[in-house]
Amino acid sequence: MSVAHDRFDAAETFQLAIEASPAGVLVIDAAGTIHLVNDELERQFGYAREELVGRNVDLLVPEALQPVDHPHLQSFGDAQLARPIGAGPELFGRRKDGSAIAVEIGLKPIETPDGRFVVATVVDLSERWRTQDSQRSAIEGQLEFERFVAELSFQFINLPANEVIDVIRYGLRRIGQEASLD
């Protein structure tokens, strides 16, 4: 064996990889007890590592989403294959302050000399949802403005000359309102 290979510490490398993950990561045993979390999971849920390790994963799942309602969460230890959850119906976690966090969770069972564990990755979807809401709002605003312009154009067709100035004023006032101008 080479000197570099002798210095390789699998446990240390695993811990570094978990900490480097951009997703929240936790390792759970068959009973749902949390054994390991990374910094990102702490940030997402607002808990310190010491508050999570040794506790049941149900701490992070709102009552409405606990095992009775979501069979795929019933036993993390029963996971036979790696699989994402939360990619279909919306899935929420519960932060320390009680607020909900939209998440997507991936599960991967691992066998160790100490038994079966599940590595769960947690991706916070909140920012993605905010961006989508902002885009949707911008599109709706654009469509509303386009409808207004079409309506205004329609009003000019066959408009008597003595009403043109009033329609222009109305149109400018509405444009000012739409653009938040005085």
Side-chain angles (χ1 to χ4, degrees):
M1 281 192 201
S2 70
V3 174
H5 190 274
D6 289 341
R7 288 191 207 149
F8 180 79
D9 180 347
E12 181 180 333
T13 302
F14 177 75
Q15 182 66 37
L16 289 172
I18 295 290
E19 287 301 332
S21 174
V25 178
L26 62 159
V27 177
I28 308 150
D29 67 18
T33 302
I34 300 170
H35 288 264
L36 184 139
V37 299
N38 70 350
D39 289 337
E40 179 60 15
L41 191 100
E42 289 180 84
R43 186 198 65 75
Q44 290 172 351
F45 286 89
Y47 285 97
R49 182 173 316 242
E50 301 77 34
E51 295 175 285
L52 293 172
V53 173
R55 303 278 306 270
N56 194 285
V57 71
D58 289 348
L59 177 69
L60 303 177
V61 183
E63 288 80 10
L65 292 179
Q66 284 185 1
V68 171
D69 297 313
H70 280 278
H72 58 267
L73 291 177
Q74 280 183 356
S75 176
F76 284 93
D78 288 342
Q80 297 299 316
L81 302 170
R83 65 186 189 268
I85 59 176
E90 296 170 354
L91 182 62
F92 294 90
R94 180 182 47 222
R95 290 186 172 111
K96 182 177 181 177
D97 67 6
S99 65
I101 175 176
V103 294
E104 184 174 284
I105 299 173
L107 302 175
K108 175 68 177 161
I110 56 173
E111 293 293 335
T112 73
D114 296 323
R116 175 176 274 191
F117 290 84
V118 174
V119 176
T121 56
V122 181
V123 177
D124 180 352
L125 300 178
S126 303
E127 186 59 37
R128 186 182 309 168
W129 283 17
R130 277 190 289 278
T131 299
Q132 288 173 347
D133 286 347
S134 176
Q135 290 171 342
R136 189 174 11 265
S137 179
I139 289 169
E140 288 171 2
Q142 177 68 28
L143 290 174
E144 180 63 31
F145 185 73
E146 288 174 8
R147 281 191 287 272
F148 164 69
V149 170
E151 173 189 312
L152 196 56
S153 298
F154 181 74
Q155 288 180 2
F156 276 104
I157 297 173
N158 298 322
L159 186 66
N162 63 337
E163 294 179 22
V164 169
I165 297 296
D166 290 337
V167 172
I168 289 173
R169 283 186 181 133
Y170 167 75
L172 290 173
R173 200 170 27 252
R174 284 277 312 271
I175 289 171
Q177 290 170 344
E178 292 293 325
S180 300
L181 302 174
D182 290 331

